[in-house]
């Protein structure tokens, strides 16, 4: 409750938790004249809620069918009040690099319910992107963007070459939405890979393209080992994300541009 109060007082909208049972489980924000609905759920929690407080957190309780149905109803309601709908969902096995069947089926359920973008977290590792061709019941078609996991943007673990877990890598996505008069459509995205620089003294989120292109600026505190790591992220992250999609990326202005 106190977190919601702080967010509200700061002028920030929140989604995924409620202070009262009748509070809406979605929110709508206007982005450059386009109304974007947001729905958020978590597949599990670190603790437990009493039954009387179960309304407070949007949880799927381990892919429970009734909870998934409720989440899809929320997506459908949001889609009736917004031009596009984004679903944020915490799910997936720790350090997995590919979505499992439960994840893909959950994402598909959200798209079928009216979602346009589904963003996952939970594995701490980046997972490949998937672009969906969705046919709605009214016969219209649209693109859907599935981001199964955004990796680790902020954390307290460092990369271990022996384990091979990319728990220091994330990516910032800017989704490109255009309206040709028939309604907003997703036409591509820009992505900025990030590197988590963590020591006992410092923690930085470094934009990989900027460091890669301006090494001298960062050489005073990023050593050769980290430079090698950043170079590897620069060279491999986009290929990993686009694997199997048939999409290509163009690098410009220290970001990667992908058009559908």
């Amino acid at each position: 409750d106190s977190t919601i109060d702080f967010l509200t007082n700061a002028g920030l909208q929140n989604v995924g938790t409620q202070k009262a049972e009748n509070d809406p489980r979605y929110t709508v924000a206007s982005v450059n004249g386009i109304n974007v609905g947001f729905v958020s759920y978590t597949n599990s929690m670190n603790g437990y809620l009493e039954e009387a407080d179960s309304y407070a957190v949007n949880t799927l309780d381990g892919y429970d069918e009734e909870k998934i149905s409720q989440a899809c109803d929320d997506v459908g309601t949001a889609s009736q009040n917004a031009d596009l709908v984004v679903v944020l969902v915490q799910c997936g096995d720790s350090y997995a690099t590919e979505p499992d069947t439960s994840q893909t089926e959950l994402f598909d359920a959200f798209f079928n319910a009216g979602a346009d973008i589904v963003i996952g977290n939970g594995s701490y590792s980046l997972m490949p992107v998937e672009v969906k061709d969705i046919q709605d019941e009214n016969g219209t078609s649209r693109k859907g963007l599935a981001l199964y996991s955004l990796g680790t943007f902020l954390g307290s673990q460092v990369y271990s070459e022996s384990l091979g877990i990319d728990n220091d890598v994330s990516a910032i996505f800017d989704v490109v939405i255009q309206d040709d008069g028939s309604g907003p459509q997703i036409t591509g995205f820009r992505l900025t890979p990030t590197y988590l620089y963590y020591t006992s003294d410092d923690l930085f989120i470094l934009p990989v393209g900027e460091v890669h292109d301006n090494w001298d600026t960062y050489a005073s505190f990023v050593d050769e080992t980290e430079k090698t790591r950043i170079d590897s992220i620069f060279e491999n992250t986009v290929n990993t994300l686009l694997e199997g999609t048939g999409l290509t990326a163009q690098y410009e202005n220290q970001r990667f541009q992908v058009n559908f």
Side-chain angles (χ1 to χ4, degrees), residues 226-243:
E226 280 135 359
K227 180 180 183 299
T228 299
R229 179 71 182 140
I230 289 171
D231 286 343
S232 175
I233 295 169
F234 179 84
E235 294 169 2
N236 298 318
T237 298
V238 174
N239 291 335
T240 298
L241 288 170
L242 300 184
E243 182 180 359

Side-chain angles (χ1 to χ4, degrees), residues 129-131 238-249 258-260:
V129 169
E130 188 173 1
V131 179
V238 174
N239 291 335
T240 298
L241 288 170
L242 300 184
E243 182 180 359
T245 64
L247 298 172
T248 58
V258 179
N259 297 316
F260 299 163

